[in-house]
Amino acid sequence: MSITEVQFEAREAADGQSIANIEGRSQWQLTWRRLRSDKVSMIALAVIIIMVLLAITAPVFAAITHHPPNVAFPNTGENAVGLPVGPFTNGFWLGSDGTGRDLFIRILYGARISLFVGVVTTFIAACLGVSIGLMAGYFGGIIDTLLARLTDAVLAFPYVVLAIALAAVFGPSLTIIMAIITFFSWAGIARIVRGQTLSIKEKEYIEAARSIGAGPFRIMFLDILPNLMAPVLVVATLYIPAAVVFEATLSFLSLGIQPPTASWGNILSEATNFYQTSWWYVVFPALALLITTLAFNLLGDGIRDAMDPRTERILAARRMRRQRKRRRRATAALTGPTKDFPDPARQAPGI
Amino acid sequence: MAIIGYLIRRILTGAVVVWLVATLAFFLFFARPVITVARQLAGRAATPQVINEVISNLGLNQPIMTQYWHFLDGLLHGNLGYSYFTQESVDTMVKQDLPPTLSLVVGGVVLWLIVGLSVGIISATRARGPFDRVANVLVLIGLSMPTFVIGEFLILVIFVPLNQHGFTWIDTGYSGPSQGLVKWAGHMLLPWITLAAVQCAIYTRLTRGQLLDTLSEDYIRTARAKGLSERRVVFRHGVRAALTPVVSQLGVDVGTLLGGVVITEYVFGLGGLGQVSVQAVFQDNLPVIIGFVILAALFVVVANIVVDFLYASLDPRVRIT
């Protein structure tokens, strides 16, 4: 028995043991395990965490650079002809903006607004959507008809058009923007929750709960809701970037966050006059926006794949392939050239 | 004759929806103090008399139900009211501003369907190949890019450098087809790409997913087993079945499309209905805003009827009744 074979035996024994005392894992543990092995999702998660940290520590950076977000520096922040200065000049890390303010600091403060709007509106919309979807699906009948029609109406409406009109009527402010975004976000979640509730409420354990006298709200929120958390979580992760984009769009059209408060949308809107001269003024806020939404979209896709039971097979296949490769390498290293003994794994096709 | 009955019913319900939207818009916008509008119109230094005169000139001092009645009456006669500022009829404004919007929508939709569907089909038939991987990355970037950022990006990277080097075929602003088709296309090219980009990403992903599901069904294996060419299997058996959910998504997306139109027109200064209505918002020009909201609702309703007919003609299981 060669050394490698002993090693293989040992590894196989270890594998066998782990199979022997197999333990039940909850859905969340499984999802997290799968998510952790997905490099793209983990990078996306890291990017999001960095973004959040940067947003939280924005005042610290403002103190380090001595550039408060809304203060213009006409002497250092503008060149001889009054145009913005480029990145890494006069202590402006990413250059200055049209009025000589620090672009980097303003982007950080913009991140505070974007992330706050994205997360808070999605949370409220998810609560609303879940409640409405649960009620529509559980009660059925006239309540379902009314709520489902309402959902369809909101989904089909040209929301940017109406949002513009609403922002105009109520005057732009952070609260109004968040109300508008919430109003147009709950419907998608409600529709998914309704569909799931319709199938879950026919299950036997719900009947059992009803037979021991549980009330409708207890059943909806304690018995049905936990089984819905997975799809709701996936949809919510994908709604955050949508809300961030929505806020930026409204601010870009001057209907959202009003200057001098910084938001990625209004920075980009101010930048439109400086295309010919100052590329950084457009590129950096756009990049911040793109990186954030991309990270949330990638993470959302990753969570969806991790929750899909079909993914397990793909991952298992990948793991097996990797193990086989590792073994092959170990064999090659220990026994030298393997030309005379072709790897059986490579012969597979055609046999 | 069932189809005609169905059509009549759909048109009637559509009319009710448009009426509901119009009423909602009317009361929403008139529920706030009229004095702000009047003050803006009369100018900063206006005396209270002048402001009152402006209010009565606009008919804003009448009871709100009377105003609503006038509004509905006008609507039934195809009259959307008059701009507060220029006294121009909103109907005329719509007629003037329709060509840029129409050019944008038609070109954008054609581009988005061609690119979205073909990339989706190629991706699905070569799943996990290099083409599919590149397409997947592009789709994710497209999904994460707000429309206005794409527009700005195209201006910065294509329009500005080309113009600096004296190449002026690609231009911002609008030039009608009557002034030369080539010139028109040059003006519309970047707006078309902008409008289509986000939608392309959504439709590529949807088509790819649907087609992958369809191609793993038993009847596709049967089609292959009886010796049909791969092209025939994919297009006649696969794509046709995979397209039905894509088409129904089309109806839902009309609203998103209109939002994209507003932003694209604003970014490129095309001056269509969208840009005019954004300007109207800044001026508190209520009749123009309401006119646009009603038109948008009308567009959504008509598009949904068309989509439902398309759906029924694609999927033999769906019957129009």
Side-chain angles (χ1 to χ4, degrees), chain A residues 98-154:
Chain A
T99 51
R101 291 172 296 193
D102 191 321
L103 192 60
F104 176 61
I105 301 297
R106 286 183 70 74
I107 290 174
L108 289 192
Y109 274 86
R112 288 162 87 98
I113 300 257
S114 289
L115 293 174
F116 179 76
V117 170
V119 172
V120 174
T121 53
T122 304
F123 180 75
I124 302 172
C127 292
L128 257 176
V130 164
S131 312
I132 290 174
L134 273 176
M135 281 198 270
Y138 186 77
F139 290 121
I142 184 96
I143 296 177
D144 182 33
T145 313
L146 281 178
L147 290 177
R149 284 295 136 257
L150 186 69
T151 312
D152 287 349
V154 171

Side-chain angles (χ1 to χ4, degrees), chain B:
Chain B
M1 286 305 98
I3 289 179
I4 291 175
Y6 172 78
L7 195 61
I8 291 173
R9 221 161 343 121
R10 281 301 300 264
I11 289 173
L12 283 180
T13 43
V16 172
V17 170
V18 173
W19 169 70
L20 274 176
V21 170
T23 308
L24 195 77
F26 180 86
F27 283 105
L28 194 66
F29 294 128
F30 280 83
R32 60 198 201 123
V34 291
I35 193 128
T36 48
V37 184
R39 196 172 285 149
Q40 220 186 23
L41 267 178
R44 213 163 272 225
T47 57
Q49 280 104 331
V50 176
I51 288 178
N52 277 336
E53 206 172 308
V54 169
I55 290 180
S56 67
N57 273 349
L58 294 177
L60 291 174
N61 54 347
Q62 290 164 349
I64 191 156
M65 286 318 286
T66 322
Q67 288 188 45
Y68 177 61
W69 185 246
H70 277 301
F71 165 74
L72 273 192
D73 189 47
L75 203 59
L76 279 179
H77 292 93
N79 180 357
L80 290 167
Y82 300 90
S83 160
Y84 281 170
F85 286 83
T86 55
Q87 303 303 320
E88 203 181 342
S89 152
V90 176
D91 292 6
T92 329
M93 292 175 77
V94 167
K95 263 184 222 126
Q96 250 169 29
D97 301 322
L98 202 56
T101 307
L102 222 54
S103 308
L104 178 61
V105 170
V106 172
V109 170
V110 168
L111 186 67
W112 127 44
L113 285 181
I114 291 176
V115 176
L117 292 184
S118 45
V119 174
I121 292 171
I122 299 174
S123 276
T125 46
R126 289 167 204 178
R128 293 181 213 291
F131 181 90
D132 186 32
R133 278 168 205 275
V134 173
N136 267 337
V137 173
L138 288 180
V139 161
L140 263 167
I141 292 176
L143 280 178
S144 310
M145 279 264 239
T147 310
F148 76 92
V149 173
I150 297 176
E152 303 275 280
F153 179 77
L154 289 178
I155 290 182
L156 183 73
V157 174
I158 295 179
F159 168 67
V160 170
L162 282 184
N163 252 31
Q164 275 170 346
H165 293 95
F167 186 79
T168 51
W169 177 59
I170 287 177
D171 208 348
T172 55
Y174 179 68
S175 158
S178 55
Q179 290 163 291
L181 279 176
V182 178
K183 195 176 173 203
W184 172 71
H187 279 259
M188 296 308 296
L189 190 64
L190 295 185
W192 282 338
I193 298 174
T194 307
L195 183 66
V198 178
Q199 303 285 349
C200 274
I202 298 173
Y203 279 78
T204 302
R205 179 181 254 204
L206 198 65
T207 311
R208 177 182 182 274
Q210 291 295 338
L211 193 55
L212 273 181
D213 280 355
T214 312
L215 287 182
S216 64
E217 297 225 9
D218 287 343
Y219 74 89
I220 295 292
R221 195 172 35 189
T222 312
R224 284 206 178 108
K226 72 180 181 184
L228 291 184
S229 69
E230 187 62 22
R231 179 186 298 254
R232 209 179 157 83
V233 170
V234 170
F235 283 94
R236 295 300 288 271
H237 292 74
V239 173
R240 191 180 158 139
L243 270 189
T244 40
V246 179
V247 168
S248 67
Q249 179 69 22
L250 207 62
V252 177
D253 276 353
V254 176
T256 325
L257 175 73
L258 278 176
V261 169
V262 173
I263 293 154
T264 311
E265 288 181 355
Y266 183 85
V267 169
F268 289 95
L270 287 178
L273 292 173
Q275 201 191 350
V276 169
S277 65
V278 173
Q279 273 162 12
V281 164
F282 293 135
Q283 295 176 326
D284 262 340
N285 205 341
L286 294 183
V288 178
I289 304 175
I290 294 180
F292 183 71
V293 170
I294 293 172
L295 269 183
L298 196 67
F299 184 62
V300 170
V301 166
V302 171
N304 271 302
I305 295 177
V306 172
V307 163
D308 282 352
F309 269 96
L310 217 59
Y311 193 79
S313 65
L314 268 175
D315 190 342
R317 286 168 300 185
V318 177
R319 291 254 183 284
I320 287 177
T321 44

Side-chain angles (χ1 to χ4, degrees), chain A residues 277-292:
Chain A
T277 53
S278 322
W279 56 269
W280 57 91
Y281 199 177
V282 187
V283 168
F284 291 128
L287 264 185
L289 186 56
L290 182 63
I291 289 172
T292 308

Side-chain angles (χ1 to χ4, degrees), chain A residues 53-119:
Chain A
L53 287 179
L54 281 176
I56 292 172
T57 54
V60 177
F61 283 98
I64 293 173
T65 54
H66 303 294
H67 290 152
N70 298 336
V71 176
F73 295 91
N75 295 325
T76 51
E78 289 181 358
N79 62 16
V81 285
L83 286 170
V85 297
F88 302 110
T89 32
N90 299 342
F92 290 86
W93 294 358
L94 296 183
S96 67
D97 77 350
T99 51
R101 291 172 296 193
D102 191 321
L103 192 60
F104 176 61
I105 301 297
R106 286 183 70 74
I107 290 174
L108 289 192
Y109 274 86
R112 288 162 87 98
I113 300 257
S114 289
L115 293 174
F116 179 76
V117 170
V119 172

